[in-house]
């Protein structure tokens, strides 16, 4: 039995808010009582650090899940947020591609790990990807029901997005026919910046309803939170960034309800 919903958070461009989105969306879902798991597939391990998991405590990790055949139950750790667990990342992930490259199931390692009963207890599993379209990201897309794309409000946003959408299409054609675009979330939005407003309009004109209504603003409190090992929503619930992620979670849930009702 699989988890209710597996959402991969991906963009091959770095610095667009993938990890921040993964942490705060997961926290928002957990805050309303959903059982949530983050799988940190980025060797930098920022999602793990941002949820208060000390590097010295990561004796088992996403590396073991992909390369060693460890289970979700063996690798998932409780975070500082009730109802939110995480499979942490270590630098060992840098070498996992070499280790599994020769295996026939190399693209399906994560999907296999998420097919067991210990993954079924989570209603949402969010996979935080590295900033590249490599074998780790391919594993995440092969395992997922949908892809959520954080997109920075900047000039080259659409250029990178087209490449990512092409990759999703290729994954759908080859390894995961059911893969869908969950939605595009515009991040680092500055209402005072005319360019940011123009980028949002451009992306919406190209992708319509796939773009979430919620805009994630540039916010100092959101940037500070990871250094305290906390999601922004725990660090400062009332800040604009936290409120935006709560709104985003509401939109994600609404889309899930609409999908089930369709």
């Amino acid at each position: 039995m699989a988890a209710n919903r597996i959402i991969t958070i991906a963009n091959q461009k770095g610095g667009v808010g993938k990890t921040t989105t993964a942490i705060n969306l997961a926290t928002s879902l957990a805050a309303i009582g959903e059982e949530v798991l983050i799988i940190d597939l980025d060797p930098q391990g920022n999602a793990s650090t941002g949820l208060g998991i000390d590097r010295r405590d990561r004796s088992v990790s996403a590396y073991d899940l992909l390369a060693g055949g460890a289970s979700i139950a063996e690798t998932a750790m409780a975070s500082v947020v009730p109802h939110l667990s995480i499979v942490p990342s270590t630098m060992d992930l840098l070498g996992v591609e070499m280790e599994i490259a020769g295996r026939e199931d190399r693209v399906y390692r994560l999907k296999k790990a998420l097919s067991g009963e210990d993954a079924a207890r989570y209603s949402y599993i969010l996979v935080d990807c590295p900033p590249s379209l490599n074998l780790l990201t391919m594993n995440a897309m092969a395992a997922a029901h949908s892809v959520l794309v954080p997109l920075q409000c900047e000039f080259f946003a659409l250029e990178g997005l087209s490449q990512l959408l092409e990759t999703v299409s290729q994954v759908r054609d080859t390894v995961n026919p059911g893969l869908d675009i969950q939605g595009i979330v515009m991040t680092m939005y500055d209402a005072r910046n005319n360019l940011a407003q123009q980028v949002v309009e451009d992306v919406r004109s190209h992708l319509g309803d796939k773009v979430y209504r919620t805009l994630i603003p540039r916010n100092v409190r959101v940037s500070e939170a990871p250094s305290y090992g906390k999601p922004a929503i725990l660090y400062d619930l009332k800040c604009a960034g936290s409120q935006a992620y709560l709104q985003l979670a509401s939109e994600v849930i609404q889309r899930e309800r609409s999908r089930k009702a369709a």
Side-chain angles (χ1 to χ4, degrees):
M1 185 170 133
N4 286 345
R5 201 65 176 161
I6 302 167
I7 301 173
T8 283
I9 300 177
N11 190 327
Q12 74 276 16
K13 191 173 185 305
V16 298
K18 278 190 301 296
T19 298
T20 301
T21 297
I23 289 173
N24 288 292
L25 176 57
T27 300
S28 300
L29 292 167
I32 58 171
E34 301 282 4
E35 289 297 327
V36 185
L37 176 69
I38 291 178
I39 297 178
D40 189 353
L41 278 195
D42 188 344
Q44 295 178 74
N46 291 338
S48 309
T49 304
L51 282 173
I53 308 295
D54 191 284
R55 290 188 183 276
R56 292 167 294 186
D57 297 331
R58 302 176 202 178
S59 55
V60 287
S61 67
Y63 167 82
D64 301 286
L65 199 65
L66 294 180
S71 68
I72 292 293
E74 291 165 329
T75 53
M77 302 177 68
S79 76
V80 292
V81 181
H83 303 291
L84 174 56
S85 299
I86 183 166
V87 174
S89 169
T90 62
M91 295 298 281
D92 291 344
L93 267 181
L94 286 170
V96 81
E97 287 192 73
M98 295 288 287
E99 290 192 39
I100 68 175
R103 301 186 187 182
E104 284 188 15
D105 66 347
R106 59 187 173 275
V107 177
Y108 300 106
R109 302 291 292 176
L110 182 60
K111 183 174 184 176
K112 184 178 177 183
L114 293 178
S115 63
E117 284 191 19
D118 50 353
R121 62 180 288 256
Y122 301 101
S123 46
Y124 286 93
I125 293 178
L126 305 184
V127 186
D128 187 29
C129 291
S132 58
L133 299 175
N134 59 12
L135 190 52
L136 293 171
T137 302
M138 292 297 286
N139 261 271
M141 288 190 183
H145 296 109
S146 62
V147 179
L148 189 152
V149 184
L151 199 64
Q152 190 175 351
C153 294
E154 61 164 29
F155 183 70
F156 291 114
L158 273 171
E159 198 172 279
L161 179 63
S162 61
Q163 185 185 353
L164 181 67
L165 295 179
E166 178 62 29
T167 300
V168 171
S169 179
Q170 289 171 359
V171 170
R172 193 184 293 129
D173 291 343
T174 54
V175 298
N176 186 358
L179 188 65
D180 190 20
I181 297 291
Q182 171 81 23
I184 315 291
V185 57
M186 305 302 297
T187 61
M188 304 182 191
Y189 178 72
D190 184 349
R192 300 164 300 178
N193 185 329
N194 289 336
L195 175 62
Q197 294 178 35
Q198 186 63 53
V199 169
V200 172
E201 288 173 19
D202 286 351
V203 174
R204 285 193 168 137
S205 69
H206 279 81
L207 293 160
D209 291 343
K210 285 292 183 190
V211 186
Y212 290 104
R213 294 188 304 275
T214 302
L215 299 172
I216 308 298
R218 283 193 179 276
N219 188 256
V220 172
R221 303 295 278 174
V222 169
S223 302
E224 289 173 351
S227 64
Y228 292 88
K230 291 181 179 180
I233 288 158
L234 282 191
Y235 179 62
D236 185 351
L237 177 61
K238 291 188 166 61
C239 76
S242 294
Q243 291 299 308
Y245 276 113
L246 289 168
Q247 286 177 6
L248 177 63
S250 176
E251 275 198 79
V252 168
I253 290 167
Q254 285 170 7
R255 288 193 183 193
E256 287 303 308
R257 286 178 181 155
S258 299
R259 181 188 58 80
K260 287 175 184 173

